[in-house]
């Protein structure tokens, strides 16, 4: 029970310290397990090519080796879609996306046929989604083959047509007829414009690209922020796909942003803390459905792999680096060290860098210790290790302020570290319990009448007695490993009467000294005037206290005065449901001893007496000269006579069965059917015999 108490306190305290600082970890095996569970095909295939692409893309990014075998059925669907004249631009878009992953057996003839259709779709497009699917499909063809002409002759015109749907706040509309603006639409617009730039037969007007960069900065002005440093884009309008939420909107913006940064030159000058904040938003947890998991993993992949080299100059959005400690609970008793890993969001290795511990301050305190100590890098395990905790660190909740320092100054333009990072650390240790004692005091002078030393935590079985004019005193001291006063989250004294009525009191403290005095005279009404035995139990627990305990101390025999007539009665105690609904006591039953049986010789003699009448009957038949001379000889009468004899035998057998195993009702039912049968065949037999006898007499 003490162990469960400590666990509860740990959970509550960890929750409290995580409010000011949070831990973000890169993609892990938990994401891979969730992907395999969520992206499970039905009957060897997915419901659509869109679902198939999201599954394949997610599993590819996560590096899952055990992928579902859907190549055959999916490639057949891809070929049918690409060759079908009724396929729209969205169908072609996802068919080409799937083909980039599965590498289905398609020739340039198929790409040439659909490229012409897609160019016509770009010219006839009237909505943002039409441009997105058509331009995106052409870009996919360009990536899969170089033998097909997919370049746009009027790229500037297409760019302006898409740009006309932008709004002043950086959001976009889905069409000119729809006045509502959407953040998700802004993301797919950026991705479509990136495709236009990559498909342009000549360089796109730099003025248009410059205005689009301004729109991106305006979009980032509306970005939202959580207290833990995560940034996200909110979506307040239901989009054309029927989806709504910050996850889909933020994922679309990240995908469009990185695609645009890849396709264009120059810098976007986006703050590194916002890029890192976007990464933190996607690393908060694991979504519970396939669509959201795809949004999460795809966006993280875009942030992790967005570097392009043009004329030996990097053009991209900064890659966020994530600092994650393997453990946030450190034990002073075990002398555990503070460790930290630095990786990209997908868990890739970071460039050469150092991690420095800059400050340490207690949670809820403004006073901070300046450390500026560099962690040693363990190249074999890829982890940064602090030699030892600062001397000022005692048990409690702390925030370690660390900083990532890149060794190559050029990497500062390529990676986002987020400046100083707050890491919540939970330091535990063994709390020393001294001077523990329990005593019964005289109420008049406060002198000690009975006193017992206590071993805390340990086994105690004190036996005390007191009356309502006396007091009960409990005293102990708590100190940390560094000798400081320690105040636990929980310090309770519980008295439990033999009738299961409980009373709980908070043990107060002054510095390291904890003391509680129970004046029984003032507690007679609270104790319901119940005399008798009270079990004493002390609870001391805290998340940082490795030796938290819930300890029985013994009991006290308390003598209370007689209750007055109108005294409050103790409340009825709840019945333990286990006792009410649990298994009942086993019923033990002794069977009656069998009665004594007669000797075997006597039993055989009785059997002979039972069979004697049957033997006499058979002897009498022989003496009377019974024979079969009158048995019918004609076929039909003989048949009825034989059936009659078998019926008699059946009745006798039925009597035997009744004696051995059948009950009365079953026997009577069978006897009824046999009786009707015997009456029928017997009447025919007797009629034949009577007719034969009459003929003989007349002759």
């Amino acid at each position: 029970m003490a162990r469960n108490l400590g666990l509860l306190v740990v959970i509550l305290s960890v929750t409290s310290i995580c409010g000011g600082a949070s831990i973000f970890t890169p993609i892990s095996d938990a994401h891979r397990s969730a992907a395999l569970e969520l992206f499970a095909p039905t009957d060897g295939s997915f419901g659509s090519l869109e679902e198939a692409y999201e599954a394949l893309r997610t599993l590819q990014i996560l590096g899952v080796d055990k992928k579902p075998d859907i190549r055959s059925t999916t490639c057949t669907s891809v070929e049918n879609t690409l060759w079908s004249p009724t396929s729209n631009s969205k169908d072609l878009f996802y068919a080409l996306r799937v083909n980039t992953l599965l590498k289905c057996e398609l020739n340039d003839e198929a790409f040439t046929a659909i490229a012409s259709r897609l160019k016509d779709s770009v010219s006839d497009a009237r909505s943002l989604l039409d441009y997105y699917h058509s331009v995106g499909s052409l870009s996919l063809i360009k990536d899969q083959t170089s033998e097909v002409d997919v370049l746009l002759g009027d790229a500037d015109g297409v760019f302006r047509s898409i740009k006309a749907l932008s709004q002043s706040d950086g959001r976009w509309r889905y069409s000119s007829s729809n006045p509502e603006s959407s953040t998700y639409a802004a993301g797919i617009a950026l991705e479509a414009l990136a495709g236009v730039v990559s498909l342009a037969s000549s360089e796109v007007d730099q003025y248009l690209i410059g205005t689009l960069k301004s729109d991106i900065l305006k979009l980032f002005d509306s970005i939202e922020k959580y207290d833990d440093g995560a940034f996200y884009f909110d979506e307040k309008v239901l989009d054309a796909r029927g989806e709504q939420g910050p996850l889909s909107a933020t994922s679309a913006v990240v995908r469009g942003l990185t695609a645009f940064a890849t396709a264009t030159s120059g810098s976007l000058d986006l703050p590194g803390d916002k890029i890192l904040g976007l990464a933190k938003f996607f690393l908060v947890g694991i979504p519970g459905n396939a669509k959201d998991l795809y949004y999460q993993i795809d966006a993280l992949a875009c942030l992790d792999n967005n570097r392009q080299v043009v004329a030996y100059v990097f053009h991209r959005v900064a890659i966020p680096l994530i600092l994650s400690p393997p453990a946030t609970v450190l034990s002073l008793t075990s002398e555990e060290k503070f460790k930290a890993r630095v990786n990209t969001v997908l868990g890739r290795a970071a460039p050469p860098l150092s991690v420095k511990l800059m400050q340490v301050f207690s949670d809820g305190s403004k006073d901070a210790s300046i450390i500026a100590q560099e962690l040693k890098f363990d190249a074999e395990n890829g982890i940064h290790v602090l030699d030892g905790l600062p001397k000022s660190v005692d048990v409690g909740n702390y925030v370690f302020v660390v900083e990532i320092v890149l060794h190559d100054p050029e990497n500062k333009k390529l990676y986002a570290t987020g400046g100083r990072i707050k890491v919540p650390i939970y330091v535990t240790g063994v709390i020393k319990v001294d001077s523990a004692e329990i005593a019964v005091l005289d109420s008049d002078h406060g002198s000690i009448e009975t006193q017992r030393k206590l071993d805390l935590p340990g086994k105690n079985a004190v036996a005390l007695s007191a009356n309502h004019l006396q007091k009960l005193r409990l005293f102990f001291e708590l100190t940390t490993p560094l000798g400081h006063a320690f105040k636990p989250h929980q310090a309770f004294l519980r008295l439990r009467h033999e009738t299961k009525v409980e009373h709980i009191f908070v043990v107060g403290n002054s510095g390291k000294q904890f003391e509680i005095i129970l004046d029984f005279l003032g507690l007679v009404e609270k104790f319901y005037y119940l005399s008798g035995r009270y079990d004493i139990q002390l609870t001391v627990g805290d998340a940082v206290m490795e030796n938290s305990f819930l300890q029985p101390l013994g009991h006290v025999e308390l003598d209370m005065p007689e209750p007055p007539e109108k005294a409050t009665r103790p409340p009825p105690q709840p019945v333990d449901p286990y006792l009410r609904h649990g298994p009942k006591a086993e019923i033990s039953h002794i069977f009656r001893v069998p009665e004594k049986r007669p000797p075997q010789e006597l039993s055989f003699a009785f059997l002979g007496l039972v069979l004697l009448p049957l033997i006499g009957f058979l002897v009498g038949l022989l003496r009377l000269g019974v024979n079969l001379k009158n048995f019918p000889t004609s076929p039909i009468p003989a048949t009825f006579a034989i059936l009659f004899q078998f019926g008699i035998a059946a009745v006798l057998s039925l009597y035997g069965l009744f004696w051995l195993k059948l009950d009365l009702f079953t026997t009577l039912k069978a006897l009824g059917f046999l009786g009707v049968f015997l009456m029928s065949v017997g009447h025919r037999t007797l009629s034949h015999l009577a007719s034969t006898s009459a003929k003989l007499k007349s002759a």
Side-chain angles (χ1 to χ4, degrees), residues 467-535:
N467 57 47
H468 67 285
L469 298 177
Q470 294 177 317
K471 300 177 182 179
L472 181 69
R473 175 180 177 267
L474 175 68
F475 177 85
F476 58 91
E477 295 180 350
L478 298 179
T479 54
T480 67
L482 297 186
H484 300 143
F486 178 74
K487 182 178 180 180
H489 287 170
Q490 297 178 346
F492 301 130
L493 179 67
R494 182 173 72 171
L495 298 183
R496 181 186 177 94
H497 191 253
E498 54 194 14
T499 60
K500 298 184 179 181
V501 178
E502 294 184 353
H503 306 280
I504 298 177
F505 305 91
V506 177
V507 182
N509 75 300
S510 175
K512 65 174 67 174
Q513 298 180 350
F514 287 76
E515 183 181 31
I516 183 173
I517 298 177
L518 300 181
D519 186 355
F520 293 128
L521 183 61
L523 296 173
V524 289
E525 292 186 0
K526 185 175 181 179
F527 279 44
Y528 306 107
Y529 296 89
L530 292 177
S531 299
R533 172 171 171 156
Y534 284 81
D535 292 329

Side-chain angles (χ1 to χ4, degrees), residues 9-42:
V9 176
V10 168
I11 293 174
L12 293 176
S13 299
V14 168
T15 304
S16 66
I17 68 172
C18 287
S22 299
I23 297 298
F24 299 93
T25 57
I27 294 301
S28 63
D29 289 337
H31 292 82
R32 298 178 180 90
S33 299
L36 286 174
E37 181 179 351
L38 294 175
F39 291 109
T42 304

Side-chain angles (χ1 to χ4, degrees), residues 56 70 79 172 187 210 330 351 399 409 431 439 456 523 537 597 600 648 666:
L56 294 171
I70 60 171
E79 293 174 6
W172 294 63
L330 306 178
V399 175
I431 302 301
L456 298 178
L523 296 173
Q537 188 180 71
R597 295 184 178 184
Q600 187 175 8
I648 295 297
T666 304

Side-chain angles (χ1 to χ4, degrees), residues 96-110:
L96 291 168
R97 270 190 158 187
V98 171
N99 189 59
T100 60
L101 301 175
L102 293 182
K103 308 297 182 184
C104 300
E105 297 179 359
L106 298 173
N107 52 34
D108 292 340
E109 182 182 353

Side-chain angles (χ1 to χ4, degrees), residues 596-656:
K596 186 177 181 181
R597 295 184 178 184
Q600 187 175 8
E601 295 79 5
L602 182 61
S603 299
F604 282 123
F606 180 77
L607 178 61
L609 292 175
V610 171
L611 295 177
L612 186 61
L614 177 62
I615 297 173
F617 173 71
L618 295 176
V619 172
L621 290 177
L622 294 174
R623 295 296 300 268
L624 292 174
V626 176
N627 54 64
L628 299 176
K629 294 180 179 180
N630 291 330
F631 199 86
T633 56
S634 301
I636 295 178
T639 300
F640 281 106
I642 294 172
L643 291 176
F644 179 74
Q645 298 299 326
F646 277 113
I648 295 297
V651 171
L652 294 176
S653 301
L654 181 63
Y655 287 160

Side-chain angles (χ1 to χ4, degrees), residues 312-314 316 406-415:
Y312 303 103
V313 179
F314 288 104
R316 69 177 195 178
L406 296 167
H407 293 172
D408 188 351
E410 292 297 326
N411 284 336
K412 294 181 180 180
K413 303 176 183 178
L414 307 177
Y415 293 92

